[in-house]
Amino acid sequence: NDSDKKSRDPNNQDASGTGNEANPVDILTDRMQQHGMVEMEPVFRPGASNNVERFKRAGSQPDRLWELADGFERTFTITYTSGENPESLSRKIARLPGIVYAEPHFVYETLDERIPNDPFIGGDGHNYFEYQNFYQAWAVSTGSPDVVIAIIDTGVYYEHPDLINKLWRNPEPGRADEFFPSWEIVNDTIGWNFWESGDVFAGEPPEQNGNPVGNYSRHGTHVAGTAAADTDNEIGIAGTGFHSQFMPIKAGGTREYPGSVAYGFQGILYAAINEADVINCSFGGPGFSIFGQEVVEFAIASGSVVVAAAGNNGSDVLFYPAAYNDVLSVGSVRQQYDDIISNFSNYGFYVDVFAMGEALLSTHFNYNEETVSWTPTYNRNTGTSMAAPVVSGLAALIKAENPDWSPQRIANQIRVNARSIYAANASSQYENRLGMGLIDAHSALVNLKPGLRITDFVFEKPDGEKINTGESGTLTLNAINYGEPTPNSRIEIDRIPFGITIEPTDHQTGALNTDELFSATFDVSISEEFQLDEIPLFRLDISDPTSDYNDFFMIEYERLLFDILEINTITASISSDGTIGFLDAFSSSGGVGFIPAEYGNMLFEGGLMITADRRSHVDVDADRLIINQVRDSTEITRHFLPTDNYRFTEPGTVSDIDGRAVFQSRKHPLFDDLYVEMKTYAFAKEGLDQTFFVKYNITNNSLTTLHDLHAGLFNDWDIRDYSTDHTGFVEADSLIYVYDPSGAPFLTVAHMNAVSSAFAIDNPSPMSLPEAESREDSLQFGVYYQRDDDIFDGFTDAEKRLALTAGTEQTTLNETDISIVTGTGPFILHPFAQITVGFIYGWGEDLDDLRSQISAARALNLFETSNPGEYTRFREISDEIALFQNFPNPFNSTTTLEFHLSEPGQVNLAVYNVLGQRVATLIDRHVEERAQFAVFDASSLASGVYIAVLRAEDRTVVVPMTLVK
């Protein structure tokens, strides 16, 4: 980020927190030197953005191209040797001043599967053209050698007799060198090899050259043949692109890593710079990359269609680059030609179409490393990798017939002309997740249809605030018609979650020309009783009966589950499920964090943690409960589900802005009966304007007593440079805080109850394996997870329990990445008992300012909190004997009685009818515990009034009960 781009970075500031005088590149360089930086190189060389003026192809977007290219000049690829996990390191780097984003360099895998060489498997492997109507399509168009398909893969054996005549020849070698720094992309006459050798995983720079030949992997050669093999030449196979050429770009496939693609995004950029018409990506993985999305945008803005394989996980999982916006995502159907999707193929809302991907016969080779020689062959491969180039060839045919079409229009034409396969895959797991179905090559070429694409949407009330449960507002859709002009298309909201009403359910667009924008508005009402167990999902059906045009899109209302508290000097996100700051901290989505004044977000992650012991003495480990909504090893643990959605009342009855939500531990595998009512309070009053309160009423809704219960908040704070944060503790105030020595702000989450933990965690805290295996109660642990090393195991349940009960043993840390846990307890919660705990989020310009704010907030005594102790449904247990009203009452067959003793002794608890006759003896023995429960089974008795009589400690207490059948 630079001074001209401040609006892109809310954390943009200098060391004093007031501007951006510090150079982000210098800050980044200095930080990475500490991690053994080998190289730090911009994606595009300085001034490369000035060269985008030459992109004048149909469908190019000059302004967006310049913006993206300018950003790539300030986007760096960094190689380092310290060995720290790139995922955790990138999260830390992202918090540095001036850094817009940081993320691992994703290495993806190719997607073919090995098939046994049984002679009948897959038939002849090359009879899928009729199934997808390519014979009819070729009668309309056989493509053009002027259309180029980029094959970004593991290299291509381009001298194969079925490929050599289709090899792209670069009309302007070295053009890409004007963009890429230091790699010296020269003599790239037939493409580029981004990774010939070099262990990039060990920090070695890749060896690159102008020979993108495949040798250690046949994957790219197979893909190239499927899309662009020499067709109608009396030898070998046919490519779906017929006369189209291919541009080989080797992004992986080294001897050491034959199945890895480490430079796929650079390959996409190279293909776009060299004006490839179609870019085939038969690789991918689950990691979302902002850089990857911007690379795809650059390619599409330059005029290239991007086609990608949906992945071979056999599940509904996001897979990139296929799941990026505007990518044509391709799944696989099986060889039986019955429209059943392949068992390995991914599916999901992001998948656009399906194509044949099983046992496809295509170009292959045998490689002799000793003689450095290739022998051309043919072989069958399986995977969505094989399905993607089938579609890339079709995109090339359409481009040849329509050279002025935009990439979005070509992709849309393929999608909306596909044939539905939902009838053949009648399973709820596939609902709305098979895109528009199997490609139809002939229809895609000749049936010109509209192409309405939703570009963004918003749910809001008239005042611009979000629509909450029990409220009404509007849904506004913004879209563009990428396809044929339409006289009047219809948008209908077909799938509406129960508890939400939308009126009208359809909207007529009126006449729309190609590339014309439009918007549609719907009235929305959300019931108070709407179930908050998942984010609301809607299906939009789009149609134009005059052109037999149909399409659909799925949208989610994520904002429903969080809201943004904005008052005085604080902006913070509070969620309905126990998280603070973000719904998903790892992707920084679903919120804004915690922003004090003008300083930018300071909170990476916040959430509620509760630990307790059931003491069943059956399974000790199962009895030790950790119920929480914070990270574990690789993701956020999600035990809580909202019951009442978070909402504000302004002005509130207690403060200037009151907030409330209710959530329960419905997703905990062992204990789903913890009920939490959360309330928040904030004041627009000097002296309190840098704080807000969080109150939790925690109820045990089970019939099991919870012992040794502790509750607290976990907060991972980041102030400017995450690695130089400090913590301190003011014993007189029982106040733990975090700060950066360079200046404001100082931050805290302060206790309102007794302190069971004011604990500072050294997030990256390293330890040796013997220490990790031997510790049971050591507080020397971090919360990072290192994928290839079991020493760093993330934030485990055992560590969460320790963190909530740590006392004030570890409150001071210096010069490191930190988290803070503030906890209270212990409590004993008997069935249906409730306690109240409270915390104060606050910040200050210095420590004195912070202490003053927290002191003033505590002095309000805003609500009563629970002292550590033992609690029942009625009250905190005292030293008096008591028998409480049975629950439920009246009752149908069984009911529960609760009684307290001041000391152990002989107890007799019996039940009598109104005639004074004893009908049951519930307890007649010595009792040790002060709180006891007894169940009265009246299933054999008649309706009426019964009397419970407790005799203990020389006293008698009675309670009437009503049996109703």
Side-chain angles (χ1 to χ4, degrees), residues 402-416:
N402 305 278
D404 296 332
W405 279 14
S406 68
Q408 293 95 332
R409 184 168 186 180
I410 294 172
N412 177 78
Q413 184 70 6
I414 295 173
R415 174 182 165 95
V416 299

Side-chain angles (χ1 to χ4, degrees), residues 580-594:
I580 302 284
F582 299 98
L583 282 172
D584 186 348
F586 288 158
S587 64
S588 298
S589 63
V592 298
F594 178 91

Side-chain angles (χ1 to χ4, degrees), residues 139-203:
V140 176
S141 173
T142 55
S144 168
D146 294 330
V147 176
V148 178
I149 305 171
I151 306 297
I152 302 172
D153 218 288
T154 59
V156 178
Y157 171 43
Y158 49 81
E159 292 185 343
H160 192 292
D162 233 353
L163 293 174
I164 187 61
N165 293 328
K166 305 294 290 297
L167 178 63
W168 169 76
R169 308 291 175 169
N170 193 345
E172 193 179 347
R175 176 176 179 173
D177 191 55
E178 300 174 5
F179 293 83
F180 291 103
S182 75
W183 281 348
E184 297 185 7
I185 301 179
V186 294
N187 298 321
D188 56 327
T189 57
I190 58 171
W192 191 249
N193 183 347
F194 281 92
W195 191 18
E196 170 61 26
S197 62
D199 191 343
V200 298
F201 298 101

Side-chain angles (χ1 to χ4, degrees), residues 27 35 120 132 195 234 266-267 269 311 319 443 477 482 521 595 614 702 724 836 847 932:
I27 295 174
H35 295 278
F120 297 107
Q132 296 165 120
W195 191 18
E234 298 184 349
Q266 288 79 2
L269 289 173
F319 195 83
S443 182
L477 305 174
Y482 284 122
T521 301
I595 304 173
R614 293 187 297 183
S702 76
T724 60
T836 299
L847 181 56
Q932 287 286 341

Side-chain angles (χ1 to χ4, degrees), residues 846-907:
D846 52 37
L847 181 56
D848 288 341
D849 186 30
L850 178 66
R851 293 180 65 186
S852 174
Q853 288 277 334
I854 297 302
S855 177
R858 285 172 168 167
L860 286 179
N861 293 318
L862 198 61
F863 51 85
E864 184 178 351
T865 59
S866 302
N867 296 316
E870 188 171 0
Y871 292 80
T872 73
R873 176 171 176 253
F874 301 97
R875 58 181 176 177
E876 184 177 2
I877 292 180
S878 66
D879 291 334
E880 299 177 359
I881 183 174
L883 175 64
F884 297 98
Q885 186 66 57
N886 61 304
F887 57 96
N889 188 54
F891 65 102
N892 177 261
S893 58
T894 60
T895 189
T896 301
L897 287 155
E898 177 185 345
F899 63 92
H900 300 173
L901 300 179
S902 61
E903 60 185 23
Q906 186 67 27
V907 170

Side-chain angles (χ1 to χ4, degrees), residues 885-886 888-893 895 911-915 919 936 938-948 959-965:
Q885 186 66 57
N886 61 304
N889 188 54
F891 65 102
N892 177 261
S893 58
T895 189
V911 179
Y912 298 82
N913 61 23
V914 292
L915 299 178
V919 297
F936 173 38
S939 57
S940 62
L941 300 176
S943 297
V945 175
Y946 293 84
I947 309 298
V959 167
M961 303 178 292
T962 302
L963 173 63
V964 178
K965 290 189 175 181

Side-chain angles (χ1 to χ4, degrees), residues 45 214 264 378 395 430 437 453 486 524 656 730 740 806 872 927:
R45 66 172 68 247
Y378 298 89
Y430 297 131
R453 305 289 292 184
T486 172
V524 177
D656 294 309
V730 182
D740 186 295
T872 73
V927 173

